[in-house]
Amino acid sequence: MTAPSANPASPTGGEDFAALLDTYLGADTAFAGSIISGLVLRVEGDVAVVDVGLKSEGRIPLKEFAPAGEATELQAGDRVDIFVERYEDRDGSIRLSREKARREEAWVVLEKSYAANQRVTGAIFGRVKGGFTVDLGGAVAFLPGSQVDTRPMRDVTPLMGSPQPFQILKMDRGRGNIVVSRRAVLEESRAEQRGELIRQLKEGAVLDGVVKNLTDYGAFVDLGGVDGLLHVTDIAWRRVNHPSEVLTVGQQLKVQVIRFNTETQRISLGLKQLETNPWEGAALKYPVGARFRGRVANLTDYGAFVELEPGVEGLVHVSEMSWTKTNVHPGKIVATTEEVDVMVLDVDEAKRRISLGMKQAQGNPWELFLEAHPPGTEIEGEIRNITEFGLFIALPAGGLDGLVHLSDLSWDQAGEEAVAAFHKGEVVRAKVLDVDVAKQRVSLGIKQLQTDPAADVLDRVRKGDIVICVVTQVQANGIEVKVEDVLTGFIRRAELARDREEQRPDRFSVGQKVDARVVAIDRAGRRLSLTIKGKEVEEDRHAIAEYGSSDSGASLGDILGAAIRRRNQAASEG
């Protein structure tokens, strides 16, 4: 039997067709768009065959009988509410939907919750552009990404499929739109918890918390509705450069309230306060003068912090790091994590400060050098530097240098002349002259490796002796002379003659021999102070004593004439 067809040419053909179809199918079409109870006849594969008491059976996908993400537990004989969509053909096939029935049921409940500003329960089951889809007992709602949590979440996988409370922000049944928020529920809960926690909060209290966020200066810990700051200096007794070295976001831990401002409601937390303070008894554990081995924990421009034990660090000032490496950055001497030997120099337990020294634990290299190379010892080393005042020679110990002063280069040459014969990098021998531990100086000599050629003359010459001098230089203020080719002497202008008119340097010439009297001897400088005037005055005094005085009848000219003749005669005989 077939249904009558409508005449396309008739202006009321569509209406006549609908009327005829209703007449043919009967009053069952009135169920379309309504929810009725149905009986599950059987389950075939992924569909359920349901009888709703009409002229035909309906087939409904099994996935419509369970919330998103859950397994279907449907069996034959179960009764379920079904939404009748429409009859699909003239044979009476009916189209049913369990999902729409659940949605209609859910909308009624949700509208009541929305009107009463009540929370609803749902499960996140999918992702869409800008957010997520939520199953609210059959009705599908949109959850914007900004409304998932009170802070941005990188991964919402743990929330997927699990029941969660939501707040309905907006509903439009006509368009079938529902917008929900999980964040609003969390903020409301946190506000309640915060109020309760604030009322009970007091300094010294130990609370459970979760690390919420990490910054350069510390970590924010969620105490359950209220956040507290765990400063980086309160995380551990040992040095912590960044909170990420110890903590991770989401980590659960116990913290102590160390400060609480009731006006600003700022909470300062401490983690290390729950542990034993390693600084207690530090003065006894680390006595001054004791040596320890520690690890370099941190480097600064002014020194290195060395960890003696977890939580206890001491500062090695850059001036206490090396005996020889001065004015250098600590990083040029040690490296972070390097183990070093240190000596305790000072302990201030109250201020939690320990001063350490690295060089003191190594021994004074100048003391060690003096023990191994006392004055008089010969050494060999490379010339490291040549300066205007001498040579610096590398010593065979601890990176020390010794100085050979210009005056200790040669017995015969002036220092400025002698230094020209040496070159940087050249290996030379020298004798240790002096070691000054306090001033950290080692004096060396090269000329001392040979016997002083003037030593014999210096042993023979005495103050007051008359010596033969050879003029080596004529100057405006006197003449410079050489005595026995080894000693240098100088005769000042006023000492060139007894008579003032004869005290002229220009009456002498280089190479001329003169007699002079020794006034002073500088043995270290190998130099003599001489006088011709003093020699002549002394000769006159002896002449007067030998030939008589003017009181005996002899004139001064007679006495001096006799003395001069005797001197000239002695000179000619010599």
Side-chain angles (χ1 to χ4, degrees):
M1 181 176 180
T2 60
S5 59
N7 184 3
S10 173
T12 59
E15 298 177 359
D16 292 342
F17 176 79
L20 289 172
L21 184 61
D22 287 341
T23 300
Y24 175 75
L25 294 177
D28 292 338
T29 56
F31 288 99
S34 62
I35 297 175
I36 60 177
S37 177
L39 175 66
V40 178
L41 299 179
R42 60 187 178 278
V43 176
E44 297 179 352
D46 59 352
V47 298
V49 179
V50 182
D51 180 13
V52 292
L54 300 177
K55 293 181 179 180
S56 65
E57 301 167 351
R59 301 171 66 84
I60 305 174
L62 288 179
K63 64 182 181 180
E64 293 190 18
F65 288 88
E70 297 184 13
T72 303
E73 298 180 357
L74 190 68
Q75 298 178 353
D78 292 345
R79 296 201 69 86
V80 292
D81 290 335
I82 303 298
F83 180 81
V84 180
E85 293 191 72
R86 67 178 182 273
Y87 293 101
E88 294 197 319
D89 56 34
R90 69 190 65 182
D91 295 329
S93 297
I94 188 170
R95 184 171 180 180
L96 306 176
S97 172
R98 170 58 185 163
E99 181 178 350
K100 289 186 177 181
R102 292 175 60 243
R103 186 182 306 169
E104 290 296 321
E105 295 170 356
W107 269 92
V108 174
V109 175
L110 293 175
E111 285 178 334
K112 292 180 180 179
S113 299
Y114 180 57
N117 196 30
Q118 295 176 343
R119 299 174 185 175
V120 296
T121 301
I124 302 174
F125 69 91
R127 294 176 182 268
V128 294
K129 183 178 181 181
F132 305 89
T133 52
V134 180
D135 182 2
L136 299 178
V140 178
F142 174 63
L143 173 64
S146 61
Q147 297 298 319
V148 177
D149 205 312
T150 55
R151 62 183 185 276
M153 292 186 65
R154 296 181 180 178
D155 184 15
V156 298
T157 303
L159 302 178
M160 299 288 284
S162 61
Q164 302 283 331
F166 295 92
Q167 187 75 38
I168 299 176
L169 301 181
K170 184 171 63 174
M171 290 187 71
D172 186 343
R173 188 161 188 174
R175 295 184 179 183
N177 292 337
I178 304 176
V179 180
V180 295
S181 170
R182 180 173 174 269
R183 175 178 177 176
V185 175
L186 295 176
E187 289 178 345
E188 184 178 345
S189 299
R190 287 174 63 86
E192 296 174 358
Q193 295 173 358
R194 180 185 180 92
E196 182 63 23
L197 181 62
I198 292 297
R199 284 191 294 271
Q200 300 178 359
L201 201 61
K202 61 180 179 179
E203 294 184 1
V206 178
L207 306 173
D208 292 319
V210 179
V211 178
K212 181 177 179 180
N213 189 27
L214 298 179
T215 68
D216 291 337
Y217 53 86
F220 285 97
V221 179
D222 183 358
L223 302 175
V226 61
D227 292 344
L229 174 62
L230 175 60
H231 196 270
V232 65
T233 57
D234 291 311
I235 293 178
W237 290 107
R238 67 178 180 85
R239 178 182 296 273
V240 177
N241 295 316
H242 194 276
S244 59
E245 298 176 6
V246 181
L247 305 174
T248 57
V249 174
Q251 179 181 348
Q252 296 183 352
L253 70 168
K254 287 186 177 295
V255 290
Q256 186 178 66
V257 179
I258 56 179
R259 283 182 300 277
F260 174 53
N261 190 320
T262 55
E263 294 181 0
T264 62
Q265 295 189 349
R266 290 183 180 178
I267 305 171
S268 297
L269 305 174
L271 186 61
K272 71 180 183 181
Q273 286 76 4
L274 299 177
E275 302 175 352
T276 302
N277 185 353
W279 280 93
E280 293 180 1
L284 296 177
K285 290 188 292 184
Y286 304 102
V288 175
R291 297 188 181 190
F292 297 91
R293 189 165 184 80
R295 180 184 63 86
V296 178
N298 191 33
L299 292 175
T300 67
D301 292 338
Y302 52 85
F305 286 92
V306 176
E307 184 182 64
L308 300 176
E309 66 172 278
V312 178
E313 294 180 0
L315 172 63
V316 182
H317 193 269
V318 65
S319 62
E320 306 294 346
M321 300 186 78
S322 174
W323 291 103
T324 57
K325 296 178 181 179
T326 58
N327 298 324
V328 298
H329 191 274
K332 300 291 185 179
I333 303 176
V334 295
T336 305
T337 71
E338 179 182 350
E339 291 191 351
V340 294
D341 293 320
V342 293
M343 177 182 287
V344 179
L345 304 181
D346 183 59
V347 179
D348 189 335
E349 189 173 327
K351 294 183 178 180
R352 297 177 184 172
R353 293 178 182 174
I354 297 180
S355 297
L356 303 173
M358 283 173 50
K359 68 181 184 182
Q360 290 81 355
Q362 302 167 357
N364 190 329
W366 279 274
E367 291 180 352
L368 298 176
F369 180 82
L370 179 60
E371 293 176 5
H373 304 86
T377 305
E378 293 186 11
I379 60 99
E380 186 176 81
E382 177 185 334
I383 298 176
R384 285 188 175 174
N385 197 16
I386 300 177
T387 68
E388 59 183 9
F389 48 84
L391 310 177
F392 282 96
I393 298 177
L395 301 177
L400 303 183
D401 289 345
L403 173 64
V404 181
H405 195 270
L406 292 179
S407 61
D408 291 313
L409 290 174
S410 173
W411 291 113
D412 303 320
Q413 291 180 296
E416 292 77 5
E417 298 176 2
V419 75
F422 297 92
H423 305 282
K424 187 175 181 180
E426 179 184 355
V427 177
V428 296
R429 292 188 62 81
K431 180 177 287 189
V432 178
L433 303 182
D434 180 57
V435 180
D436 190 332
V437 176
K439 295 183 179 180
Q440 300 179 352
R441 294 176 183 173
V442 177
S443 297
L444 304 174
I446 291 179
K447 73 180 184 181
Q448 285 80 1
L449 295 173
Q450 301 173 349
T451 303
D452 184 359
D456 181 59
V457 178
L458 287 171
D459 290 340
R460 290 187 285 105
V461 174
R462 297 289 182 271
K463 184 178 179 181
D465 288 353
I466 304 299
V467 295
I468 301 174
C469 309
V470 177
V471 179
T472 58
Q473 190 175 1
V474 177
Q475 302 176 2
N477 61 338
I479 61 174
E480 193 166 296
V481 298
K482 210 70 161 167
V483 177
E484 297 195 27
D485 293 330
V486 292
L487 291 180
T488 301
F490 188 76
I491 306 174
R492 294 185 297 111
R493 182 187 185 100
E495 300 296 330
L496 291 177
R498 180 188 60 189
D499 299 330
R500 183 178 296 273
E501 61 272 12
E502 296 295 327
Q503 295 175 354
R504 294 181 293 103
D506 58 3
R507 69 186 186 89
F508 296 92
S509 58
V510 175
Q512 179 181 348
K513 292 183 178 180
V514 295
D515 293 338
R517 183 170 177 265
V518 178
V519 177
I521 302 173
D522 179 2
R523 296 186 178 276
R526 303 165 76 245
R527 193 172 181 84
L528 302 177
S529 293
L530 304 166
T531 176
I532 297 176
K533 173 183 176 181
K535 179 187 73 70
E536 294 177 346
V537 170
E538 184 66 19
E539 288 177 348
D540 291 346
R541 188 176 64 80
H542 284 292
I544 293 174
E546 183 176 353
Y547 296 104
S549 65
S550 57
D551 294 338
S552 61
S555 65
L556 181 59
D558 294 335
I559 296 172
L560 295 179
I564 292 172
R565 286 193 299 273
R566 182 176 178 181
R567 181 178 59 191
N568 292 337
Q569 181 179 357
S572 61
E573 291 177 356

